[in-house]
Every structure is written in C-alpha cells, then in structure tokens.
C-alpha cells in the first residue's frame, strides 16, 4: 500500500512567511532610503545653487558699490579742484579790491594829489638815475648833476614834512663835492703827461757835445758808451717797435682806467716801466716818468661817499610811510 506524504508542520509554514515579510520590509526600506537619499541630494543641490546665486548677487552689488565709490571720489576731486580755483579767484578779487582801495585812498589823499605828487615822482626818478649811475659806473659828475636837478624841485614843495629831506639833500651834495674830481679824469691826465714826448728822437751827439772840453769831444768820437739797459735798441727800427709796444701798453692802461680796473692798470704800468727803463736808459726824463707811474699806480680809481643815496632812501621812506597812513 503506497505511503502517504508527510504533513507540513504549521511551525515551518509560519517561519517561511515571516522571512518573506522581512524580505519585503527590507526591500521597502531600501527603496525608501534610496528615494530619501536622492531627495536629500536634490535639496543640497538646490541649496548650493541658491548660495551661488546669492554670492554672485553679492559680488555684483560689491562691484557696483566700488564703481559708485570711485565715481564719488572723482566727484570729490573735481569739487576740490573747483573749490581751489574759486578760492584763488576770491583771493585775486580780494587783492584787486585792496589795490583799488589803496588807489582810491591815494587819490583822496592831498599829499598825492596834483602837482605835488608829480613833483615827488620826478624827484624820485632823478635821484634814482643819479644813484644808478653812481653804483654802476662810479659816475660822480652824473650823481652831482642829479642832485643839482633835484634841489630846485624839492625846494618847490611847501610841505613841512619834507624839510628834513632838503637838509639831507644838501648834506649829500656837500659830501659828493668833497670827493673832488673823478679819479678817472685825474688818472687820464697823468697818463697823457706820461705819454707826452715819448716818440721824440734822442738828442743828437752834436747837441750833447756843446759845452764839453776839446779832449772830451775827441774821446767821444773815438769811444761811444751806451747804457746796458738799452741793449738791443740801437737801431731805429728796434726803437720804433719798442715805442709801438709802449703805446699799446698805454692804450691798455687807458682801457683799465675807463673800466676802473686797478689791478689791470697796475700790471700795464709795470710793463710800461720795463720798456721805459730800456728806452730812456741814462736819460734824466726816466726818473720823472717813473714818478708819474708811481702816482698812477697809487691812485684809487673808486671813490665812495657814506651819504650817497641817503636822500633817495629817505624820500622813499617818507612816501612809504604816507602810503601806510
């Protein structure tokens, strides 16, 4: 008799069902976890995208603020430059207003009105010209003429404020007159005296022999003596060349006198003295001409007065004081 299958136990059937349920639960959990992970990734991507957008917006805003700041800085610089120009223009307007006020006050002042103002200007101009001639060229005669021209002009002003100025002018005139003639003129006269008669021929032997005893005249025909200093100047051509050199040195001395160049004059006189010792050796004129050379070398070419320019300075001081008043 065939055997019947063994019956399945209820315990094994329940165990297999629970395993199936567990497997299904795990599958559901895995699917939910995968879906949650994807959703979280999408959320993170959205957050990063929003952060990037916000960062880009902030960068754009910062760039715009920087551009605005640069524009504001340029406007401030332009405003500062404009303010500087306006300030300079205001200062210029203030200075011009001060000049206009000063001019108006001068026109209202009787001391600067009419003929007196013109006369004071003329006196100042004349004194200034004389002072410049004295300073630039030591022209004493020009300074004296300027003071002479200023004296009657100043005497025609009746204002007692200029009484001391007239006294100062008289003192300056006396000081310049006390200096005497221009040293340049005196030096030129001495140089003309030195130059006079240099080109004359030496006295002939026949003229020198007049008055000598017969034996001296006989010896002079046999023996001739010449000073050693005049060696090399026996011939007429040599003497003419030496005289031309002396004339050249005299011309240089005249130029030094005109320039008031005392060192240059002394150097020229020393060279003239050397040539005169050769040209006039044994001649009694040599000592006289050497005395003239010594006078020329010792003569000052500049003369100055401590009161020179005092009248002009006092006049300008008086006019400046009245300007301030």
């Amino acid at each position: 008799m065939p055997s019947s299958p063994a019956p399945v136990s209820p315990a094994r059937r329940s165990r297999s069902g629970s395993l199936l349920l567990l497997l299904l639960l795990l599958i559901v959990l895995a699917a939910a976890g995968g879906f949650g992970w994807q959703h979280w990734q999408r959320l993170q991507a959205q957050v990063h995208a929003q952060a990037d957008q916000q960062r880009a917006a902030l960068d754009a805003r910062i760039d715009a603020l920087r551009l605005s700041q640069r524009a504001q800085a340029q406007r401030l610089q332009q405003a500062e430059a404009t303010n500087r120009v306006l300030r300079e223009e205001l200062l210029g307007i203030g200075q011009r207003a001060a000049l206009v006020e000063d001019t108006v006050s001068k026109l209202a002042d009787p001391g600067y009105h009419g003929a007196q103002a013109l006369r004071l200007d003329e006196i100042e101009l004349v004194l200034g010209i004389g002072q410049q001639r004295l300073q630039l060229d030591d022209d004493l005669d020009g300074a004296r003429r300027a003071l002479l021209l200023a004296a009657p002009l100043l005497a025609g002003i009746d204002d007692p404020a200029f009484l001391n100025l007239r006294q100062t002018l008289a003192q300056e005139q006396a000081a310049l007159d006390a200096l005497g003639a221009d040293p340049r003129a005196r030096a030129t006269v001495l140089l003309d005296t030195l130059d006079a008669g240099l080109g004359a021929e030496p006295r002939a032997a026949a003229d020198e022999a007049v008055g000598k005893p017969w034996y001296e005249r006989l010896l002079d025909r046999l023996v001739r003596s010449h000073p050693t200093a005049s060696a090399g100047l026996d011939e007429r051509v040599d003497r003419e060349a030496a005289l031309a050199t002396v004339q050249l040195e005299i011309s240089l001395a005249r130029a030094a006198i005109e320039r008031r160049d005392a060192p240059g004059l002394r150097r020229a006189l020393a060279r003239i003295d050397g040539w005169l010792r050769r040209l006039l050796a044994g001649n009694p004129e040599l000592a006289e001409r050497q005395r003239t050379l010594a006078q020329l070398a010792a003569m000052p070419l500049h003369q100055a007065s401590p009161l020179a320019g005092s009248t002009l300075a006092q006049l300008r001081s008086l006019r400046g004081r009245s300007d301030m008043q």
Side-chain angles (χ1 to χ4, degrees):
M1 187 171 175
S3 59
S4 57
V8 179
S9 61
R12 180 178 296 176
R13 189 176 297 167
S14 60
R15 187 179 299 126
S16 60
S18 60
L19 288 175
L20 181 60
L21 289 173
L22 181 60
L23 180 60
L24 290 174
L25 181 62
L26 290 174
I27 291 172
V28 170
L29 289 174
F35 180 76
W37 172 258
Q38 291 178 359
H39 183 68
W40 184 80
Q41 288 291 333
R42 286 195 297 271
L43 290 177
Q44 290 295 323
Q46 290 178 358
V47 170
H48 285 301
Q50 290 178 357
D52 291 338
Q53 291 177 359
Q54 291 177 357
R55 189 180 300 110
L58 287 174
D59 290 339
R61 188 176 300 174
I62 290 172
D63 292 338
L65 289 174
R66 286 177 179 172
L67 290 176
S68 177
Q69 185 180 3
R70 290 175 184 172
Q72 292 293 335
Q74 290 179 356
R75 291 193 191 96
L76 288 175
Q77 291 178 355
Q78 292 176 357
E80 185 179 356
T82 304
N83 290 333
R84 188 181 302 111
V85 172
L86 291 175
R87 190 182 303 113
E88 292 178 355
E89 289 181 357
L90 287 175
L91 290 175
I93 291 173
Q95 292 176 355
R96 286 193 292 271
L99 291 175
V100 170
E101 184 180 359
D102 189 18
T103 304
V104 171
S105 63
K106 286 183 178 179
L107 291 175
D109 188 0
Y112 284 90
H113 186 68
Q116 182 171 339
L118 294 176
R119 185 164 294 179
L120 288 175
D121 291 337
E122 186 178 0
I123 293 171
E124 186 173 358
L125 177 63
V126 170
L127 292 177
I129 292 174
Q131 182 68 14
Q132 291 298 323
R133 292 181 67 88
L134 191 62
Q135 289 179 352
L136 296 177
D137 196 32
D138 287 337
D139 188 1
L140 292 175
D141 294 334
R144 292 190 186 104
R145 286 193 297 270
L147 293 178
L148 286 175
L149 289 174
L153 295 175
L154 187 58
I157 298 178
D158 299 330
D159 193 345
F162 297 97
L163 180 61
N164 293 332
L165 186 64
R166 288 196 288 271
Q167 184 178 2
T168 304
L169 177 62
Q171 292 175 354
E172 186 176 356
Q173 281 182 308
L176 288 180
D177 292 338
L179 294 177
D182 191 348
R184 234 173 11 183
R186 299 201 303 268
T188 304
V189 171
L190 285 176
L191 194 61
D192 292 338
T193 304
L194 179 69
D195 189 18
L198 266 182
E201 292 290 338
R203 287 180 296 178
D207 295 338
E208 295 178 355
V210 175
K212 289 185 178 181
W214 64 271
Y215 55 87
E216 290 185 4
R217 293 196 298 270
L218 180 61
L219 288 176
D220 289 338
R221 293 180 180 180
L222 298 177
V223 180
R224 292 185 179 181
S225 61
H226 296 280
T228 56
S230 62
L233 299 179
D234 297 334
E235 299 295 332
R236 181 182 181 85
V237 178
D238 296 334
R239 288 187 61 83
E240 289 179 353
L243 286 171
T245 305
V246 173
Q247 292 297 327
L248 176 61
E249 296 295 342
I250 290 175
S251 299
L252 293 176
R254 291 184 190 278
I257 291 173
E258 290 297 325
R259 298 193 311 269
R260 300 185 189 274
D261 183 10
L265 176 61
R266 285 193 290 269
R267 289 192 295 269
L269 293 178
R271 294 191 294 268
I272 292 172
D273 181 63
W275 283 105
L276 288 181
R277 289 176 184 272
R278 298 186 62 187
L279 284 170
L280 300 178
N283 196 321
E285 295 181 2
L286 177 61
E288 182 179 355
R289 296 184 187 273
Q290 284 181 334
R291 284 193 297 270
T292 305
L293 286 173
Q295 291 178 5
L296 273 172
M299 180 178 295
L301 297 180
H302 294 274
Q303 281 186 329
S305 171
L307 297 179
S310 58
T311 307
L312 179 62
Q314 187 174 355
L315 175 61
R316 288 174 176 172
S317 177
L318 289 172
R319 302 192 74 182
R321 190 180 309 158
S322 59
D323 288 345
M324 289 185 293
Q325 290 175 357

